[in-house]
Amino acid sequence: MSFGSHASSFAGRPVVDVPEDGPLPAVDGPVSWRIARWDFEDDDEGVLSEEFQAAFEQFVAHTGPTVESLVVGAWGYAAFNPAPIEQLCEAAPRLPALRALFLGDMTSEECEVSWMKVGDVSKLLAAYPALEVLRVRGGEDFHFSPVRHPRLRELAVESGGLSREFVGAVLDSELPALTDLELWLGSNYYGGDSTTADLATLLAGERFPQLRRLGLRNADIADEVAQALASAPVVRRIERLDLSLGTLGDTGAAALLAGQPLTHLAELDLHHHFMSEEAAASVVAALPNVRVDVSEPQKPDEYGGESHRYTAVSE
């Protein structure tokens, strides 16, 4: 799957683009402002796009004190131009109301996710101690360092391949207010070398005491994740469980059904999967009072006489 369109909403608000010329459009109610300046020809590797820098500075100068939610799209050509993390951090005093931030809202035409040069996104949490929602997307030069942040409620990391170092740093962080964690584990082809062992403290319920939604999405190891979740203590306090976009098959479905009860869940999202019709139907039948999404069944690709499953977000 490729990212075919930009986010239409973020943090419960409609996304409104910052125009390239002229004043900001009039809005009716709270919005998430989206700023992006894409230029495929801007391939000055290792240097932040001057066009993006200028547009961002102008936006902050005119609107900064009132911005509560911000979406950052293309910052030049993200395969060459690094993400504007330092610029965002430096702007923190001029964005005092910012509570929600999405870094990396790009389509695959603008930059494939595994090519996106991002950097250490945990710096954003250090710069914005009042931030409540952080969503980041990236692949190349994509890092996280353990942090303590008392107010972050939602953290989502989208990737075609998330390293075990990234996962480990997230799980080593102190996030006492975190209710919603979403990690796109991805494929080993794109650096996604995390295993269920790397998730051990999370699955044991030792991290994030307020956690109520857990997404382990876009995973090449979806069956193994399902098997681990079948007996994981953390599941007992989860209200919404999301294993979508990955390679979940009949083995994973059987593990979920044979494991601890899931009837307390409000939602189980398994869309984009490789389960047989019978296995998918069995999951739905076993959880009649749970919103179960088994849409988008997939068929394995055939290469050299072998079947290969694929995650939704890759290249």
Side-chain angles (χ1 to χ4, degrees), residues 113-267:
V113 65
S114 68
W115 302 351
M116 290 169 57
K117 294 184 183 297
V118 181
D120 189 342
V121 295
S122 60
K123 292 179 179 180
L124 297 168
L125 293 174
Y128 291 91
L131 202 67
E132 297 176 0
V133 179
L134 177 63
R135 178 172 288 269
V136 293
R137 181 183 295 168
E140 188 175 342
D141 188 29
F142 198 29
H143 304 290
F144 199 91
S145 300
V147 296
R148 186 183 191 284
H149 196 287
R151 298 191 60 179
L152 191 71
R153 293 184 293 102
E154 299 180 19
L155 175 62
V157 184
E158 301 181 8
S159 181
L162 205 55
S163 72
R164 59 173 37 140
E165 289 80 13
F166 197 120
V167 171
V170 170
L171 300 188
D172 284 341
S173 295
E174 294 184 48
L175 305 172
L178 195 71
T179 62
D180 190 322
L181 176 63
E182 184 177 317
L183 300 174
W184 294 29
L185 300 177
S187 166
N188 193 52
Y189 290 111
Y190 302 105
D193 57 358
S194 299
T195 67
T196 55
D198 300 308
L199 302 169
T201 57
L202 173 65
L203 300 179
E206 298 171 5
R207 309 301 301 151
F208 318 132
Q210 301 302 317
L211 195 67
R212 295 298 178 268
R213 177 182 178 268
L214 176 60
L216 298 172
R217 310 182 69 194
N218 199 53
D220 214 14
I221 58 168
D223 277 346
E224 291 92 331
V225 170
Q227 290 170 321
L229 285 168
S231 60
V234 71
V235 172
R236 297 166 199 158
R237 57 183 167 87
I238 294 299
E239 297 170 358
R240 293 182 294 154
L241 181 60
D242 189 342
L243 304 181
S244 65
L245 307 182
T247 63
L248 187 75
D250 288 7
T251 299
L256 291 175
L257 292 177
Q260 62 188 306
L262 300 177
T263 51
H264 67 288
L265 294 176
E267 179 179 324

Side-chain angles (χ1 to χ4, degrees), residues 248-250 253 273-282 294 297-299:
L248 187 75
D250 288 7
H273 62 84
F274 290 81
M275 292 182 288
S276 64
E277 290 185 17
E278 295 77 12
S282 294
V294 291
Q298 306 294 314
K299 298 294 184 185

